[in-house]
Structures are given as C-alpha cells and as structure tokens.
Amino acid sequence: MTVLEVRTDDLRTTRFTDHAPVPSDGEIVARVRHFGLSANNITYGLLGEMAGYWRVFPAEPGWGRLPMWGVAEVVASAHPGITEGEPLFGYMPMATHVTLTPGKVRDGGFADVSAHRQALAPAYNNYRRLDADPLWDQDHPGELPLFLPLFALSFLLDAHLGQARTVVISSASSKTSLGLARLLAARGVKVVALTSARNAAFVAGLGVYPDTLTYDRITDLPVVETVFVDVAGNVAVRAAVHEHLRDRLVRSVLVGATHGSVQSGPELPGPEPTWFFTPDHMRDRIREWGPAEFDRRFGAALRDFAAWTRSWLTITTATGREQVRTTYLSVLDGAADPATGHLLTLD
Ligand SMILES: NC(=O)c1ccc[n+]([C@@H]2O[C@H](COP(=O)([O-])OP(=O)(O)OC[C@H]3O[C@@H](n4cnc5c(N)ncnc54)[C@H](OP(=O)(O)O)[C@@H]3O)[C@@H](O)[C@H]2O)c1
C-alpha cells in the first residue's frame, strides 16, 4: 500500500510511505480505484486541526493523510457482512488501499466505527455500497467522487436560502458555486458571480450567472437586499462586500476557503458571517424527509448537475506517484483549470 502524505503545517511538503495492509478481525481492506481532487480537499487540510480532518486517516505526528472522496473495491475482508470484490464509495486517503472498520452493514452501506473517527460527523464516516446504489453511474465513474461532496453543499444551501432574491457568490468558478448558482437561477433568484480575472471569461461563458464581476469590481454590485455566499473565504473580498452593501446585506454565509485562508478578519458592517456545514444540514434534511426521500431528491438533482457539466467540464485522470503529486500541488497552488475535473489513481 502506497500513501501520499502531507505535512499538516505545510501542505506543500509531501512524501510517499509504503505499508502492508492486513485486515484485523472486523476490518476490510479495499483497493482505491480513483478519487476526486478539488479545492475542497485542500480546505480539509487548512481546517485539519480545527475540524478534525486529520483524524480520519491517522499518520505519524506532523504528517497527515488528506481525506478524498473515492471509489474502492474490497480485496480482503475479515468482516462477515462484506465480501471481496464489492465496490464502495466514501472517504479515502490519497493511497492505493484503505483499511476500514464497518459497523452494522445495511443494503445501502455502512458506517466506519473505528474509535479515532467517532468524533466526526456521520456523513464523513458513511460508505455507500455501489452495487445497490442508484447514484452510481457506471458510464461516468468519475462523477460521483468529483461531484457528490460539492453538490451536497449546493443542494442543501439552495434549500436553506429559501426566499433570497439576490445572491452574490465568491469563487464563482468553483464546482460547488456553479452547482448552487444553477439551482438558485432555476427558481428565479438573481445570482451574481465574483471571481478572479483569470476565470471571469469562463464563468461568464457558462450562462449560469447573469452578472460576473471580478474581485476588483465589488463596488459595482447593485445595492439591493443581498445574501453573500462566501466560497473563497478571502478576508479582503468579504470586507469589501460587507463595506459596500452594509445593511442591505441580509445574510453572509461562510462556505469555503478556496483562497487559502481560514482567518475570521476584523468586525464588519452588516450581519455576522456564519458557517454553513454540509453534514449538519444533511443530517437535518434526512431527519425531515427520511433517508429514501432525501436520496431520491438529491439523486435527481445530482444527476441533472452531472449531465450539465458534460458540456463544459473534462475529467482527466492522473495516474501514478509523480502525476498524482504534481496534480495535487497544482490544485493546492490554485493553478488548476476550473473546466477540468481531476480524478487521481495511485495504482
Ligand atoms: N461548508 C461546506 O460544508 C462545504 C461543502 C463543500 C465545499 N465546500 C467548500 O467550497 C469550496 C469550493 O470547493 P470546490 O472543490 O468546489 O472548488 P473547485 O471546483 O476546485 O474550484 C476552484 C476555484 O477556487 C479558486 N481557487 C482555488 N484555489 C485557489 C488559490 N490557491 N488561490 C486563489 N483562488 C483559488 C478559483 O476560483 P475563483 O478564481 O473564482 O476565485 C478556482 O477556480 C472549498 O473551499 C470547499 O471546502 C464547503
């Protein structure tokens, strides 16, 4: 088993380690077929200490195994409910293999019950059994790992924003933002994109946002009742939006940190920014709608989003140690093209 590890205090420093995975009683070992990589995984690293992401796959002190969303096939099982060959979806390390400890196995999946993962949100410990999964599209095997974790935010935040009339979204070129913008626009909400100069033409060309502004044009935002969805997490951008809209800003929702900072910044005019954490809202919606209805509604919306991306997004696969490391560093540096979906395999 090969693992790509990163320094927890410097995500640019990486190393490969090798281990022999052998399942103990109750464990399974799965071969990681591929995993998606986007700014979301980098944010896991930035928030690693604070939000517990380093606890998912423990490593030696100072080193971390970033969680990725991926597909794996069971190659050894010491658990009575799981057989070899079964495909699974959920959190994977950047590795050739993953060792899991399934709890009670249901038709749809199981939770990993290892002690070090118990403080995490249930959504992060859940593994889907793909043989029985209506979300699994074998013709497009890269879409589930690339889109499910991001579109979950898009879907849940769209429902949460209810009657908002105007929504401004930073890092508008991200897949998370595009999923949200498309859902909002479909129900008549005016969605304004904030993005970097380098991605402005891409964002404007997709036809999802009627208005696209670069970060240096925040003072051109119309001063109307607005919700700000902050995907970039950039302190200066957030301050400029609050300073410009002041009491016309009705909500400021902090979603991500694509620009590499997790600082809270100085006190701002307008509403206090509040975090939107997908696993909490997913838990609430599943309680409200029931798991089957949640899967039905979420699955239909996810399939629609995935089909739309095929007109503008190319999924590429990086294979082997050096390609995987290089792709990881380019996503970390913000050099990745927003029209490319990165699928990685160390096998
Ligand atoms: N709160 C939650 O529960 C939740 C759930 C899902 C996702 N998220 C967050 O949403 C964010 C978006 O994730 P994603 O995977 O959808 O992103 P993505 O598709 O990889 O989008 C990348 C975009 O982010 C900006 N960016 C990325 N790296 C950068 C860098 N180093 N410097 C400057 N800009 C950079 C660029 O957008 P611009 O040029 O347009 O700024 C880039 O096009 C992440 O922070 C993720 O953690 C949060």
Side-chain angles (χ1 to χ4, degrees):
M1 165 181 176
T2 298
V3 192
L4 177 55
E5 297 183 342
V6 304
R7 289 292 302 178
T8 56
D9 59 356
D10 171 20
L11 300 179
R12 285 199 66 75
T13 303
T14 64
R15 71 174 184 184
F16 287 98
T17 57
D18 292 292
H19 316 261
V22 181
S24 306
D25 234 15
E27 291 182 343
I28 59 173
V29 172
R31 188 183 65 85
V32 180
R33 193 192 292 174
H34 58 224
F35 50 89
L37 172 67
S38 69
N40 185 39
N41 308 94
I42 306 300
T43 304
Y44 288 156
L46 295 172
L47 295 173
E49 296 295 347
M50 206 190 309
Y53 292 111
W54 298 126
R55 274 187 242 136
V56 183
F57 300 113
E60 277 176 21
W63 291 93
R65 297 179 178 183
L66 276 173
M68 304 281 142
W69 293 89
V71 175
E73 275 139 7
V74 179
V75 289
S77 177
H79 188 289
I82 299 283
T83 50
E84 286 171 24
E86 174 154 4
L88 302 172
F89 171 78
Y91 260 172
M92 308 285 159
M94 289 196 275
T96 53
H97 295 78
V98 61
T99 302
L100 302 172
T101 311
K104 185 169 185 286
V105 177
R106 293 166 280 107
D107 286 350
F110 59 83
D112 185 294
V113 294
S114 43
H116 58 269
R117 291 178 67 154
Q118 291 321 294
L120 295 164
Y124 290 150
N125 286 334
N126 198 39
Y127 287 84
R128 304 180 74 101
R129 301 175 77 189
L130 293 180
D131 278 341
D133 193 339
L135 295 190
W136 177 230
D137 179 350
Q138 299 210 42
D139 293 335
H140 301 96
E143 292 181 351
L144 199 63
L146 273 170
F147 300 146
L148 182 140
L150 311 178
F151 191 75
L153 178 287
S154 318
F155 178 78
L156 291 160
L157 185 52
D158 169 57
H160 186 72
L161 290 181
Q163 298 309 311
R165 305 267 284 274
T166 300
V167 176
V168 173
I169 307 179
S170 66
S171 266
S173 63
S174 71
K175 290 175 276 300
T176 303
S177 301
L178 287 165
L180 172 64
R182 194 162 170 270
L183 291 172
L184 290 167
R187 57 186 184 85
V189 179
K190 182 170 164 27
V191 198
V192 183
L194 289 182
T195 188
S196 55
R198 132 184 127 85
N199 290 327
F202 163 76
V203 168
L206 289 174
V208 173
Y209 302 95
D211 290 316
T212 299
L213 295 177
T214 46
Y215 293 122
D216 57 352
R217 288 187 52 207
I218 286 170
T219 50
D220 289 348
L221 281 172
V223 183
V224 295
E225 211 170 82
T226 299
V227 173
F228 177 43
V229 175
D230 188 359
V231 178
N234 180 318
V235 172
V237 168
R238 184 160 63 237
V241 170
H242 277 249
E243 290 290 350
H244 179 63
L245 294 173
R246 305 188 81 91
D247 62 352
R248 305 315 306 277
L249 193 60
V250 289
R251 288 187 67 179
S252 181
V253 186
L254 192 48
V255 162
T258 59
H259 288 193
S261 151
V262 288
Q263 295 159 11
S264 50
E267 206 170 303
L268 299 170
E272 194 172 333
T274 51
W275 260 100
F276 187 93
F277 185 51
T278 301
D280 289 347
H281 289 266
M282 187 179 287
R283 180 202 56 214
D284 293 348
R285 286 286 158 179
I286 290 173
R287 271 189 200 144
E288 190 186 333
W289 296 345
E293 181 61 10
F294 178 87
D295 261 15
R296 194 189 65 73
R297 290 196 208 184
F298 176 64
L302 177 64
R303 272 190 295 278
D304 183 65
F305 174 74
W308 173 65
T309 65
R310 287 172 213 149
S311 63
W312 56 267
L313 183 123
T314 306
I315 296 179
T316 62
T317 304
T319 306
R321 291 183 179 219
E322 279 327 304
Q323 280 190 20
V324 166
R325 192 210 305 261
T326 306
T327 307
Y328 163 74
L329 290 173
S330 78
V331 172
L332 177 65
D333 289 343
D337 174 4
T340 301
H342 293 289
L343 213 56
L344 274 54
T345 176
L346 269 169
D347 226 9

